[in-house]
Amino acid sequence: MRDVRMRGFRERATVERALDVLEQRILRLGDEPVPIAASAGRVAAELVRARVSVPHFARAAMDGYALASEATSGATAAAPVELALVGASFPGRPHAGAIRPGEAVRITTGAPAPEGADAVLMVEHAEEAAGSGGEVVRVRAPVPPGKHVAAIGEDVMAGEPVVSAGRRLRPQDVGVLASTGVAEVRVVRRPSVRILITGDELLPPGSLPSGPCIVDANSLVLSALARRDGAADVAVEYVPDRREAVRGALLASAGGSGADVVLVSGGSSVGPEDHAPLVLAELGELSVHGVAMRPAGPAGFGFLPGGLPVFLLPGNPVSCLCAYEFFAGPSIRALGGLPRAWPHRRRRCVVASKIVSQAGRVDYVRVRVDGDRVFPIATSGASILSSTTRADGVVLVPGDEEAVVEGAEVEVLLYDA
């Protein structure tokens, strides 16, 4: 490959071409079984059907009296029908035996309806009293068959599909699966991410900046983004700006580290200490280096032997964030069975101040939202991370546009959930 250090890029790949390569090369990981209690948030690897019906017995949908509906025919407040009160049914403690047309049992919501009962009379339409032969319930209104009784399978029938393959399981999905007797779900394996932070000038997070050294922020940002995108675990390693150190770190990543994705922060550009692209090309394949975008133009990616994807993310914090969102984030999500699309809330707004761009380059423009209007953040430097905290989100300007004029409608990708 051509050494671009201190020479610059002869040409840059388009964002579209880079994404095409990733979509062709990065596919979903395999699947694994997990207990139902640990399945929320995971992606179902296969269609899951109900093992049993829910409910699997006829049950009361209301507190009241279980009875045979035909026995209430003609009942009115002025001329109530008396039924013998012969017992009670509670959840987990059903009435033993069947009831006859002239009988009723007290019942609470969720309790099994006894054999012979096809309806539940609400307590508001009845009163208990002492009769000549024992307790009775006086029915003051007729009850149609099936009233306030949940039939077998009213919620889910046995064998019915509950969740489809590729669905990210929501809490309610897990609840329904559990209610149908599912104990274990096959889900897509979540990717493990290894982050290599390069640079002799970096101090670990929590340090106080001093002298020529600065505190590493990228490891925190990348770790949080990877977890947002479904990573099972994230490991961070600091690597000196030495070719052999970068080479050793990449070799270790490919040699049984368990990583499914490697993110290299820093050392991806055209400076004399930017070793990662050359080392990646030497050890495996450098698929893309240099992309027509701003910021993050020096970004790239490739693959180590065995197909392990390696993303080269610029060291400047905003460039690092931008390159992750465009390339690494969609790939991590795809590995875990999630959609590649950016997981941001979106909103249509009107441009209040012209957004300057350049034809042939995709721009990641930090913006502030005020009502339904959007303003570009004045500071656009790739090292000004605080610009992303002042911004409400970003506008992506396509490569075929030179500017977005005042009054144009744009889509804003919001940082907040």
Side-chain angles (χ1 to χ4, degrees):
M1 63 163 287
R2 177 177 181 266
D3 188 346
V4 297
R5 293 178 301 173
M6 304 309 292
R7 293 181 176 89
F9 297 102
R10 225 179 331 196
E11 60 181 25
R12 297 175 188 257
T14 65
V15 169
E16 292 77 11
R17 176 182 166 256
L19 292 175
D20 284 344
V21 172
L22 292 172
E23 288 185 17
Q24 293 171 21
R25 298 286 297 274
I26 294 185
L27 306 176
R28 199 200 84 176
L29 295 173
D31 51 80
E32 61 186 1
V34 298
I36 187 66
S39 64
R42 302 296 297 271
V43 176
E46 60 187 12
L47 175 73
V48 185
R49 297 181 182 274
R51 293 185 62 193
V52 298
S53 296
V54 181
H56 66 279
F57 55 83
R59 65 186 181 191
M62 190 73 65
D63 294 336
Y65 301 89
L67 41 74
S69 59
E70 62 179 351
T72 67
S73 179
T76 64
V81 172
E82 286 192 357
L83 302 178
L85 196 54
V86 296
S89 183
F90 300 101
R93 291 180 289 136
H95 173 71
I99 64 170
R100 294 173 293 185
E103 298 175 338
V105 299
R106 297 185 190 94
I107 196 165
T108 57
T109 303
E115 184 182 349
D118 65 352
V120 171
L121 173 72
M122 293 174 61
V123 293
E124 291 86 347
H125 298 151
E127 63 179 353
E128 294 184 18
S132 56
E135 285 187 295
V136 298
V137 57
R138 290 176 179 157
V139 179
R140 297 196 300 263
V143 186
K147 188 68 171 178
H148 302 314
V149 174
I152 292 174
E154 181 183 70
D155 193 350
V156 183
M157 289 296 294
E160 180 181 330
V162 180
V163 299
S164 56
R167 182 181 180 91
R168 189 173 195 172
L169 298 176
R170 301 175 295 177
Q172 56 266 44
D173 297 324
V174 174
V176 172
L177 287 172
S179 71
T180 69
V182 173
E184 189 176 81
V185 185
R186 291 205 71 83
V187 296
V188 179
R189 187 168 67 80
R190 293 183 297 174
S192 294
V193 176
R194 191 174 193 205
I195 301 174
L196 305 180
I197 303 293
T198 69
D200 295 333
E201 78 283 14
L202 297 176
L203 299 171
S207 303
L208 187 67
S210 63
C213 295
I214 60 174
V215 178
D216 158 47
N218 288 350
S219 66
L220 300 180
V221 174
L222 293 174
S223 295
L225 287 171
R227 291 190 178 96
R228 177 202 71 183
D229 291 331
D233 53 79
V234 179
V236 176
E237 178 183 348
Y238 288 89
V239 182
D241 277 330
R242 307 288 183 274
R243 181 186 177 92
E244 285 309 308
V246 174
R247 189 175 190 277
L250 287 178
L251 278 173
S253 299
S257 69
D260 298 297
V261 178
V262 177
L263 308 180
V264 181
S265 168
S268 73
S269 192
V270 296
E273 297 295 293
D274 290 322
H275 304 296
L278 290 172
V279 171
L280 180 55
E282 173 193 323
L283 297 178
E285 171 192 341
L286 182 63
S287 307
V288 168
H289 184 213
V291 184
M293 61 191 303
R294 185 182 68 171
F301 57 83
F303 299 86
L304 287 170
L308 177 63
V310 178
F311 291 90
L312 306 177
L313 311 176
N316 277 331
V318 182
S319 292
C320 183
L321 169 63
C322 176
Y324 176 93
E325 292 281 44
F326 269 93
F327 307 119
S331 299
I332 291 172
R333 292 191 293 273
L335 286 168
L338 297 171
R340 293 177 185 266
W342 291 29
H344 297 67
R345 188 163 57 93
R346 296 161 189 260
R347 180 176 172 187
R348 303 296 296 184
C349 292
V350 174
V351 174
S353 178
K354 180 181 178 181
I355 298 175
V356 178
S357 184
Q358 178 179 309
R361 180 186 73 195
V362 172
D363 268 9
Y364 176 94
V365 182
R366 287 142 277 173
V367 296
R368 179 174 58 84
V369 175
D370 184 2
D372 63 350
R373 300 196 303 163
V374 63
F375 299 81
I377 297 290
T379 301
S380 59
S383 63
I384 311 299
L385 185 58
S386 64
S387 65
T388 63
T389 63
R390 297 197 304 274
D392 296 302
V394 296
V395 170
L396 305 181
V397 182
D400 57 359
E401 295 187 18
E402 291 188 359
V404 183
V405 299
E406 181 179 341
E409 188 178 70
V410 292
E411 182 178 67
V412 182
L413 281 69
L414 298 169
Y415 284 137
D416 290 334

mmCIF file of all heavy atoms in Angstrom, residues 372-392:
data_model
loop_
_atom_site.group_PDB
_atom_site.id
_atom_site.type_symbol
_atom_site.label_atom_id
_atom_site.label_comp_id
_atom_site.label_asym_id
_atom_site.label_seq_id
_atom_site.Cartn_x
_atom_site.Cartn_y
_atom_site.Cartn_z
ATOM 1 N N ASP A 372 -38.675 24.723 16.669
ATOM 2 C CA ASP A 372 -38.596 23.923 15.443
ATOM 3 C C ASP A 372 -37.480 24.421 14.524
ATOM 4 O O ASP A 372 -37.421 24.065 13.356
ATOM 5 C CB ASP A 372 -39.933 23.951 14.702
ATOM 6 C CG ASP A 372 -40.321 25.346 14.225
ATOM 7 O OD1 ASP A 372 -39.637 26.326 14.632
ATOM 8 O OD2 ASP A 372 -41.288 25.471 13.463
ATOM 9 N N ARG A 373 -36.577 25.262 15.080
ATOM 10 C CA ARG A 373 -35.470 25.792 14.284
ATOM 11 C C ARG A 373 -34.156 25.179 14.757
ATOM 12 O O ARG A 373 -33.988 24.832 15.922
ATOM 13 C CB ARG A 373 -35.415 27.315 14.384
ATOM 14 C CG ARG A 373 -36.690 27.990 13.879
ATOM 15 C CD ARG A 373 -36.460 29.459 13.618
ATOM 16 N NE ARG A 373 -35.971 30.165 14.820
ATOM 17 C CZ ARG A 373 -35.382 31.355 14.780
ATOM 18 N NH1 ARG A 373 -35.212 31.981 13.622
ATOM 19 N NH2 ARG A 373 -34.981 31.944 15.904
ATOM 20 N N VAL A 374 -33.219 25.082 13.831
ATOM 21 C CA VAL A 374 -31.934 24.469 14.137
ATOM 22 C C VAL A 374 -30.808 25.413 13.735
ATOM 23 O O VAL A 374 -30.855 26.039 12.671
ATOM 24 C CB VAL A 374 -31.802 23.095 13.432
ATOM 25 C CG1 VAL A 374 -31.829 23.241 11.927
ATOM 26 C CG2 VAL A 374 -30.555 22.367 13.864
ATOM 27 N N PHE A 375 -29.805 25.537 14.621
ATOM 28 C CA PHE A 375 -28.677 26.440 14.411
ATOM 29 C C PHE A 375 -27.385 25.628 14.444
ATOM 30 O O PHE A 375 -27.166 24.843 15.385
ATOM 31 C CB PHE A 375 -28.599 27.497 15.521
ATOM 32 C CG PHE A 375 -29.806 28.387 15.617
ATOM 33 C CD1 PHE A 375 -30.956 27.950 16.284
ATOM 34 C CD2 PHE A 375 -29.803 29.655 15.064
ATOM 35 C CE1 PHE A 375 -32.065 28.768 16.394
ATOM 36 C CE2 PHE A 375 -30.912 30.482 15.169
ATOM 37 C CZ PHE A 375 -32.053 30.038 15.827
ATOM 38 N N PRO A 376 -26.484 25.786 13.469
ATOM 39 C CA PRO A 376 -25.184 25.104 13.550
ATOM 40 C C PRO A 376 -24.356 25.689 14.681
ATOM 41 O O PRO A 376 -24.387 26.897 14.935
ATOM 42 C CB PRO A 376 -24.562 25.376 12.180
ATOM 43 C CG PRO A 376 -25.240 26.603 11.679
ATOM 44 C CD PRO A 376 -26.629 26.587 12.236
ATOM 45 N N ILE A 377 -23.621 24.818 15.389
ATOM 46 C CA ILE A 377 -22.713 25.282 16.437
ATOM 47 C C ILE A 377 -21.531 25.966 15.766
ATOM 48 O O ILE A 377 -20.937 25.436 14.823
ATOM 49 C CB ILE A 377 -22.232 24.101 17.300
ATOM 50 C CG1 ILE A 377 -23.424 23.454 18.018
ATOM 51 C CG2 ILE A 377 -21.155 24.533 18.275
ATOM 52 C CD1 ILE A 377 -24.035 24.271 19.112
ATOM 53 N N ALA A 378 -21.164 27.139 16.254
ATOM 54 C CA ALA A 378 -20.123 27.938 15.600
ATOM 55 C C ALA A 378 -18.782 27.222 15.580
ATOM 56 O O ALA A 378 -18.058 27.236 14.597
ATOM 57 C CB ALA A 378 -19.995 29.283 16.307
ATOM 58 N N THR A 379 -18.420 26.541 16.678
ATOM 59 C CA THR A 379 -17.132 25.855 16.745
ATOM 60 C C THR A 379 -17.231 24.523 16.026
ATOM 61 O O THR A 379 -18.049 23.680 16.373
ATOM 62 C CB THR A 379 -16.717 25.619 18.206
ATOM 63 O OG1 THR A 379 -16.634 26.885 18.851
ATOM 64 C CG2 THR A 379 -15.374 24.918 18.282
ATOM 65 N N SER A 380 -16.399 24.316 15.021
ATOM 66 C CA SER A 380 -16.472 23.079 14.242
ATOM 67 C C SER A 380 -15.199 22.253 14.328
ATOM 68 O O SER A 380 -15.042 21.269 13.624
ATOM 69 C CB SER A 380 -16.759 23.388 12.767
ATOM 70 O OG SER A 380 -15.749 24.223 12.234
ATOM 71 N N GLY A 381 -14.246 22.640 15.191
ATOM 72 C CA GLY A 381 -12.983 21.930 15.277
ATOM 73 C C GLY A 381 -13.165 20.489 15.719
ATOM 74 O O GLY A 381 -13.995 20.184 16.579
ATOM 75 N N ALA A 382 -12.351 19.606 15.132
ATOM 76 C CA ALA A 382 -12.476 18.184 15.429
ATOM 77 C C ALA A 382 -11.992 17.817 16.817
ATOM 78 O O ALA A 382 -12.255 16.720 17.295
ATOM 79 C CB ALA A 382 -11.686 17.376 14.392
ATOM 80 N N SER A 383 -11.291 18.729 17.483
ATOM 81 C CA SER A 383 -10.793 18.434 18.823
ATOM 82 C C SER A 383 -11.659 19.048 19.915
ATOM 83 O O SER A 383 -11.395 18.845 21.100
ATOM 84 C CB SER A 383 -9.357 18.946 18.975
ATOM 85 O OG SER A 383 -9.319 20.359 18.827
ATOM 86 N N ILE A 384 -12.705 19.788 19.522
ATOM 87 C CA ILE A 384 -13.534 20.501 20.504
ATOM 88 C C ILE A 384 -14.693 19.600 20.925
ATOM 89 O O ILE A 384 -15.817 19.713 20.427
ATOM 90 C CB ILE A 384 -14.052 21.841 19.937
ATOM 91 C CG1 ILE A 384 -12.902 22.636 19.318
ATOM 92 C CG2 ILE A 384 -14.741 22.641 21.032
ATOM 93 C CD1 ILE A 384 -11.809 23.001 20.302
ATOM 94 N N LEU A 385 -14.428 18.680 21.851
ATOM 95 C CA LEU A 385 -15.457 17.728 22.271
ATOM 96 C C LEU A 385 -16.629 18.413 22.959
ATOM 97 O O LEU A 385 -17.770 17.961 22.869
ATOM 98 C CB LEU A 385 -14.844 16.672 23.200
ATOM 99 C CG LEU A 385 -15.765 15.529 23.648
ATOM 100 C CD1 LEU A 385 -16.312 14.772 22.451
ATOM 101 C CD2 LEU A 385 -15.029 14.576 24.587
ATOM 102 N N SER A 386 -16.342 19.563 23.634
ATOM 103 C CA SER A 386 -17.427 20.260 24.329
ATOM 104 C C SER A 386 -18.493 20.750 23.361
ATOM 105 O O SER A 386 -19.626 21.018 23.772
ATOM 106 C CB SER A 386 -16.871 21.440 25.135
ATOM 107 O OG SER A 386 -16.305 22.411 24.267
ATOM 108 N N SER A 387 -18.158 20.853 22.070
ATOM 109 C CA SER A 387 -19.174 21.264 21.092
ATOM 110 C C SER A 387 -20.297 20.238 21.022
ATOM 111 O O SER A 387 -21.446 20.578 20.720
ATOM 112 C CB SER A 387 -18.542 21.453 19.711
ATOM 113 O OG SER A 387 -18.053 20.214 19.204
ATOM 114 N N THR A 388 -19.989 18.977 21.323
ATOM 115 C CA THR A 388 -21.034 17.945 21.293
ATOM 116 C C THR A 388 -21.895 17.987 22.545
ATOM 117 O O THR A 388 -23.014 17.473 22.537
ATOM 118 C CB THR A 388 -20.423 16.545 21.142
ATOM 119 O OG1 THR A 388 -19.606 16.245 22.273
ATOM 120 C CG2 THR A 388 -19.603 16.436 19.870
ATOM 121 N N THR A 389 -21.381 18.584 23.621
ATOM 122 C CA THR A 389 -22.215 18.717 24.820
ATOM 123 C C THR A 389 -23.100 19.958 24.724
ATOM 124 O O THR A 389 -24.183 19.989 25.311
ATOM 125 C CB THR A 389 -21.347 18.786 26.094
ATOM 126 O OG1 THR A 389 -20.532 19.956 26.060
ATOM 127 C CG2 THR A 389 -20.463 17.555 26.199
ATOM 128 N N ARG A 390 -22.641 20.962 23.977
ATOM 129 C CA ARG A 390 -23.488 22.140 23.749
ATOM 130 C C ARG A 390 -24.539 21.869 22.686
ATOM 131 O O ARG A 390 -25.555 22.562 22.621
ATOM 132 C CB ARG A 390 -22.626 23.339 23.328
ATOM 133 C CG ARG A 390 -21.620 23.788 24.377
ATOM 134 C CD ARG A 390 -21.111 25.192 24.101
ATOM 135 N NE ARG A 390 -20.517 25.317 22.768
ATOM 136 C CZ ARG A 390 -19.245 25.022 22.480
ATOM 137 N NH1 ARG A 390 -18.459 24.548 23.430
ATOM 138 N NH2 ARG A 390 -18.775 25.192 21.270
ATOM 139 N N ALA A 391 -24.292 20.889 21.850
ATOM 140 C CA ALA A 391 -25.213 20.582 20.755
ATOM 141 C C ALA A 391 -26.351 19.693 21.240
ATOM 142 O O ALA A 391 -26.200 18.897 22.161
ATOM 143 C CB ALA A 391 -24.460 19.890 19.625
ATOM 144 N N ASP A 392 -27.493 19.836 20.584
ATOM 145 C CA ASP A 392 -28.628 18.942 20.836
ATOM 146 C C ASP A 392 -28.576 17.718 19.935
ATOM 147 O O ASP A 392 -29.227 16.710 20.207
ATOM 148 C CB ASP A 392 -29.951 19.683 20.595
ATOM 149 C CG ASP A 392 -30.134 20.829 21.573
ATOM 150 O OD1 ASP A 392 -30.114 20.572 22.789
ATOM 151 O OD2 ASP A 392 -30.275 21.973 21.118
#
